[in-house]
Amino acid sequence: MIRFSLSGLKPSTLFRVRGGVHPETRKFLSAGSAIEAMALPALIRVPLQQHIGAPAEPLVKQGDLVLKGQLIGRARGPVSANLHAPTSGKVIAVGHFPAPHPSGLPVPTITLRPDGEDRWGPRLPRLRPEDAAPEEIAARVAEAGIVGMGGATFPAAVKLNLRGKYPLHTLILNAAECEPYLTCDDRLLREHAEEVADGAGIMARALGVARIIVVVESNKPEAASAMRRHNLGMGYPIEVKVVPTQYPMGSEKHMVKAVTGQETPARALTAELGIVVHNAATAHAVHLAVRYGEPLISRVVTVSGRGIARPANVRALIGTPVADLIAHCGGLSGEPEKLLLGGPMMGQPIANLRVPIVKGTNGVLALSPSETHRSAAMPCIRCGSCVQACPCGLTPFELNARIQADDLEGAAEVGLLDCVSCGCCSFICPSNIALVQGFNFAKGRLAEKQARKHQQEETKRLAAARSAREEALAEAKRAAMAKRKAEMAAKKAREAAEAAAQPDGEVVK
Ligand code: SF4
Ligand code: SF4
């Protein structure tokens, strides 16, 4: 256990976590920028899949007029999320558009042309969370289409409904924001701490827990102070824990270990320890949805990097093209080496500036060559740095060797599926080996392979079931025929016996 002190703030009692790295944070580029509003974009593109789970089902068609906040995509199944019109306007297409993803492949998308009036439709009815049942709160969060806004995009209501399944006691609000450059959660806490605290209290009521801990990294003293000033959410006391600035402190399981000392087993949920983790921006969205009936139609995004003329934090409508966010921040200040959605450690590279921001987009980064400084990969020198940096206790160089040998099952045996894709190993590797990129690719291939295997097994099972059914049918036919034959033979025998029993010359009428 360590006592961590931050000048001017009460020290937090913490537990050591494994691994981690200390990349340059470069938060100074945007941390001083208060959240700015943006002008309405000329076009808004809302992908139907912005969350973990099934894509939403479109409820509008080309030519429809919609109002701000109107439901335009309905969640399909228990793990999915509703989508709402970010502003009023006309639906000009329900088709495919390149995804905000490295593949850039077209995905089902609703395209909306704003009418400039930004006119609200009927909002969801307001709830008084102090009187609402936990199920009502979770249902409202689902109606509002809220997902994990730290980037995980898991539907928030599913997590709020875990209370019946696990004996929960603590809500951790993740405001660590450990990715370099990103400052959107920092600004949200500094400027809207009271609303974040209220959202946390509402979530605590839905979860049935009495303890709320807000976790902030040591490089955000103003955010920590703001939360300490607003340390009650719906009457629930809020503890603020300041953790060291160390990547990936914001990873759920590592954060739980740091603040509670409890270790979450590989591939288990923190809920099994009685703890649920939500992002600070998610709490803010819950506050708006419950108190004001506002669905999730906008979010705060950090636009930063040396490739951006004026780094800033902006509140942008979901579906705003990346190009519009960059233009709002003065445009590009040269040819960027890398364009990313999210942070530099786990963010997704994009090639097309027309792609939209989605509910999980916390950053748009344009990095100059001096910020990426990757050189050509060299052979592994077995220095072990990646092993020391891995927060999951894996041996990345061994994983990489197995993947290079096309031994995916072997890679799975040494923990490929326990890798959280944090990128610490790639960051630290002196040979510049793109380890995490290889692991992500291998995970995708393994998932495909397993899906194919599952499909083959399913086909085999169905074929076996069909031949069993056919065999049973044939057996039933054979049995019916044998029965008929036996009945006919018995009948014949009966008739013969009756004939034999008649006196000679008597005629039976
Ligand atoms: S850090 Fe790079 S060079 Fe060192 S052991 Fe790991 S993979 Fe090899
Ligand atoms: S990317 Fe995976 S293997 Fe590499 S350090 Fe992170 S968890 Fe470990």
Side-chain angles (χ1 to χ4, degrees):
M1 193 188 291
I2 52 172
R3 300 271 293 169
F4 180 73
S5 170
L6 182 69
S7 79
L9 293 176
K10 203 173 143 210
S12 301
T13 302
L14 301 170
F15 297 83
R16 283 191 195 284
V17 289
R18 197 194 286 126
V21 290
H22 296 89
E24 268 190 73
T25 64
R26 296 195 174 118
K27 296 202 184 244
F28 66 89
L29 287 170
S30 60
S33 146
I35 300 167
E36 299 171 14
M38 271 189 68
L40 277 178
L43 283 179
I44 283 181
R45 292 199 165 91
V46 183
L48 293 172
Q49 171 96 63
Q50 302 190 24
H51 47 265
I52 303 273
E57 170 194 7
L59 298 179
V60 288
K61 56 183 186 325
Q62 190 179 14
D64 285 357
L65 297 177
V66 294
L67 292 170
K68 182 170 179 163
Q70 182 178 327
L71 186 68
I72 55 172
R74 183 180 289 124
R76 241 194 268 244
V79 183
S80 184
N82 282 342
L83 294 170
H84 302 80
T87 184
S88 55
K90 186 175 188 174
V91 175
I92 59 165
V94 179
H96 283 72
F97 192 77
H101 182 265
S103 73
L105 289 173
V107 290
T109 302
I110 296 170
T111 304
L112 179 67
R113 175 170 291 132
D115 58 14
E117 293 181 24
D118 206 26
R119 198 147 46 92
W120 273 96
R123 297 185 205 204
L124 300 166
R126 289 182 180 205
L127 265 188
R128 211 183 109 73
E130 292 80 358
D131 305 328
E135 306 75 39
E136 274 181 274
I137 296 172
R140 165 53 48 86
V141 169
E143 269 182 290
I146 299 174
V147 302
M149 292 171 73
T153 69
F154 193 77
V158 179
K159 267 178 150 183
L160 291 184
N161 275 325
L162 289 176
R163 79 191 163 281
K165 214 166 161 202
Y166 302 101
L168 303 176
H169 49 76
T170 301
L171 164 67
I172 291 184
L173 210 60
N174 185 350
E177 203 168 45
C178 62
E179 274 269 12
Y181 293 88
L182 303 186
T183 57
C184 51
D185 288 352
D186 180 10
R187 291 305 321 187
L188 196 67
L189 259 57
R190 290 201 220 180
E191 297 175 39
H192 299 279
E194 192 173 0
E195 292 145 45
V196 172
D198 184 60
I202 295 171
M203 289 201 279
R205 180 168 172 85
L207 290 164
V209 305
R211 189 178 187 203
I212 303 174
I213 307 173
V214 177
V215 181
V216 183
E217 269 193 349
S218 57
N219 58 0
K220 303 169 194 76
E222 292 93 345
S225 299
M227 285 312 300
R228 285 193 170 137
R229 281 195 302 276
H230 297 283
N231 58 2
L232 271 185
M234 287 239 307
Y236 292 88
I238 296 177
E239 298 166 54
V240 178
K241 294 245 183 195
V242 178
V243 293
T245 300
Q246 176 187 335
Y247 181 84
M249 191 54 85
S251 150
E252 221 171 90
K253 291 180 181 177
H254 300 97
M255 179 172 284
V256 167
K257 175 75 196 321
V259 299
T260 70
Q262 289 181 277
E263 192 95 46
T264 315
R267 279 175 253 170
L269 299 174
T270 59
E272 291 170 37
L273 306 176
I275 301 164
V276 173
V277 183
H278 278 283
N279 175 263
T282 313
H284 188 252
V286 167
H287 160 81
L288 293 177
V290 172
R291 298 268 182 205
Y292 301 101
E294 287 187 17
L296 178 54
I297 53 171
S298 71
R299 67 155 300 141
V300 183
V301 182
T302 301
V303 186
S304 191
R306 295 280 185 205
I308 298 287
R310 189 183 62 84
N313 284 294
V314 294
R315 181 165 276 283
L317 295 179
I318 304 299
T320 303
V322 167
D324 288 46
L325 277 96
I326 293 177
H328 176 87
C329 296
L332 293 172
S333 59
E335 187 63 30
E337 174 84 357
K338 221 177 192 182
L339 280 164
L340 292 169
L341 289 189
M345 300 297 283
M346 291 185 77
Q348 303 278 0
I350 48 162
N352 182 347
L353 289 182
R354 292 192 307 141
V355 297
I357 61 135
V358 288
K359 293 176 181 178
T361 307
N362 44 14
V364 169
L365 302 186
L367 304 182
S368 66
S370 65
E371 293 170 292
T372 53
H373 56 74
R374 295 293 303 182
S375 37
M378 310 272 284
C380 171
I381 53 169
R382 299 255 160 175
C383 64
S385 301
C386 54
V387 181
Q388 277 170 23
C390 179
C392 298
L394 304 176
T395 47
F397 68 84
E398 190 182 351
L399 276 172
N400 187 51
R402 296 203 182 201
I403 291 164
Q404 294 306 316
D406 206 23
D407 178 13
L408 289 182
E409 279 73 19
E413 272 167 31
V414 292
L416 177 62
L417 298 178
D418 298 326
C419 163
V420 294
S421 299
C422 65
C424 289
C425 50
S426 300
F427 173 82
I428 207 83
C429 177
S431 294
N432 289 317
I433 302 172
L435 296 159
V436 68
Q437 290 82 347
F439 302 160
N440 288 341
F441 182 68
K443 280 187 224 169
R445 278 190 57 207
L446 199 64
E448 260 173 43
K449 225 172 157 178
Q450 279 167 350
R452 256 201 316 276
K453 193 172 159 206
H454 177 74
Q455 201 174 10
Q456 280 165 357
E457 282 169 2
E458 191 58 10
T459 312
K460 246 189 199 166
R461 190 187 65 76
L462 289 174
R466 197 171 84 179
S467 56
R469 265 199 319 276
E470 286 171 354
E471 180 51 35
L473 209 65
E475 181 54 37
K477 270 187 191 163
R478 281 196 295 274
M481 201 176 283
K483 189 176 165 203
R484 246 195 335 272
K485 261 188 184 169
E487 282 169 358
M488 278 168 64
K491 190 177 168 206
K492 260 190 188 166
R494 230 179 12 255
E495 285 171 356
E498 279 170 8
Q502 297 302 322
D504 283 350
E506 190 176 335
V507 176
V508 179
K509 288 190 181 168

